[in-house]
């Protein structure tokens, strides 16, 4: 079997699964409160699997809006004295720095965000880079891989909990809407769908740097 390398499987992009918890739906005005990211890669058996998780609590930026209804859903108390939150600048340096390092180690050209309703997460990630003036955001600025669409294709479901159950995964509603739990579950789902496709329909085409449409 040909060795599967992540830098040859997704057009040279590194898929990074991301989930954010926020103070609302407006990326420019509402607080980013929590972010998690999961790296995925191929194991020795050629299966795509989660390999590592990054997780950060975030201090609301100055003047950020926080909708109380959002806090009811996430259960986050942004100003709890024992909450281990970091300023956005530190989160950006840690998060983007780790992703760029892994991206370079895997010889990928850049990263692409994988998420459930991915454009929401990508919007807040891009806003984090803009507010902190982090000019080396590793993510593609507008393209993303969405497990809503992939879940509909593979399992006939679009809701995260229903996709998880259809994929044979446990869903713990008491831990839902926490960035770490949601990201790790989304990563498991993404990996299962990629592996399922390979099992049913054969190998995905390999990307070659010499391809005329290469980035």
């Amino acid at each position: 079997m040909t060795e599967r390398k992540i830098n040859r499987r997704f057009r040279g992009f590194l898929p990074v699964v991301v989930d954010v918890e926020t103070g609302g739906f407006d990326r420019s005005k509402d607080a980013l409160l929590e972010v998690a990211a999961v790296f995925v890669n191929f194991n020795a058996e050629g299966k795509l699997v989660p390999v590592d998780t990054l997780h950060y609590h975030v201090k609301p930026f100055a003047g950020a809006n926080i909708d109380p209804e959002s806090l009811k859903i996430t259960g986050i108390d942004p100003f709890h004295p024992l909450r281990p939150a970091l300023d956005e600048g530190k989160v950006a340096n840690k998060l983007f720095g780790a992703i760029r390092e892994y991206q370079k180690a895997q010889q990928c050209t850049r990263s692409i965000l994988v998420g459930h309703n991915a454009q929401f997460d990508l919007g807040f990630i891009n806003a984090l880079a803009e507010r902190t003036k982090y000019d080396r955001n590793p993510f593609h600025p507008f393209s993303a891989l969405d497990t809503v669409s992939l879940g509909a294709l593979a399992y006939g479901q679009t809701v995260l909990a229903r996709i998880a159950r259809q994929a044979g995964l446990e869903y713990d509603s008491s831990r839902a809407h926490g960035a770490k739990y949601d990201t790790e579950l989304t990563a498991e789902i993404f990996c299962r769908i990629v592996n399922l496709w390979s099992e049913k329909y054969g190998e995905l085409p390999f990307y070659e740097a010499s391809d005329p449409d290469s980035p």
Side-chain angles (χ1 to χ4, degrees):
M1 182 179 66
T2 303
E3 182 183 3
R4 299 179 185 178
K5 292 187 176 181
I6 199 79
N7 67 338
R8 295 184 59 212
R9 188 44 66 100
F10 299 95
R11 198 170 173 263
F13 293 163
L14 174 72
V16 181
V17 188
V18 173
D19 183 73
V20 300
E21 301 299 335
T22 68
F25 297 103
D26 190 329
R27 51 164 280 182
S28 63
K29 297 179 180 178
D30 296 330
L32 174 64
L33 299 175
E34 191 178 0
V35 59
V38 174
F39 296 135
V40 298
N41 213 326
F42 292 103
N43 64 14
E45 288 73 44
K47 299 293 186 182
L48 190 67
V49 296
V51 296
D52 197 16
T53 301
L54 310 172
H55 177 222
Y56 307 102
H57 297 276
V58 189
K59 292 181 181 178
F61 63 89
N65 178 66
I66 301 175
D67 186 342
E69 293 301 314
S70 294
L71 300 185
K72 289 180 183 179
I73 295 172
T74 63
I76 295 173
D77 180 353
F79 304 107
H80 194 286
L82 298 180
R83 183 170 178 260
L86 301 174
D87 292 332
E88 283 198 335
K90 291 183 179 179
V91 171
N93 285 330
K94 286 177 176 289
L95 175 67
F96 295 142
I99 293 171
R100 286 176 58 84
E101 182 178 344
Y102 193 72
Q103 173 187 301
K104 182 178 180 181
Q106 301 307 312
Q107 300 180 324
C108 292
T109 57
R110 73 183 313 160
S111 296
I112 186 166
L113 187 144
V114 181
H116 198 74
N117 295 309
Q119 288 300 326
F120 177 83
D121 301 285
L122 182 59
F124 275 86
I125 290 296
N126 286 340
L128 171 66
E130 292 163 9
R131 280 195 300 270
T132 60
K133 296 180 170 50
Y134 195 99
D135 59 1
R136 295 182 297 163
N137 183 348
F139 288 107
H140 193 287
F142 54 84
S143 293
L145 300 175
D146 199 326
T147 52
V148 172
S149 299
L150 293 173
L153 177 66
Y155 300 114
Q157 300 289 347
T158 59
V159 176
L160 186 64
R162 293 181 178 180
I163 295 172
R165 295 186 182 110
Q166 199 72 14
L169 297 166
E170 292 185 9
Y171 181 78
D172 186 348
S173 59
S174 68
R175 298 173 62 197
H177 303 297
K180 185 174 185 292
Y181 177 77
D182 284 358
T183 310
E184 291 179 339
L185 183 62
T186 302
E188 289 282 359
I189 288 170
F190 176 67
C191 290
R192 291 204 178 196
I193 293 173
V194 171
N195 294 332
L196 180 65
W197 181 275
S198 295
E199 291 165 7
K200 285 196 170 187
Y201 304 109
E203 294 293 333
L204 292 171
F206 283 103
Y207 158 84
E208 296 290 351
S210 59
D211 286 349
D213 292 332
S214 62

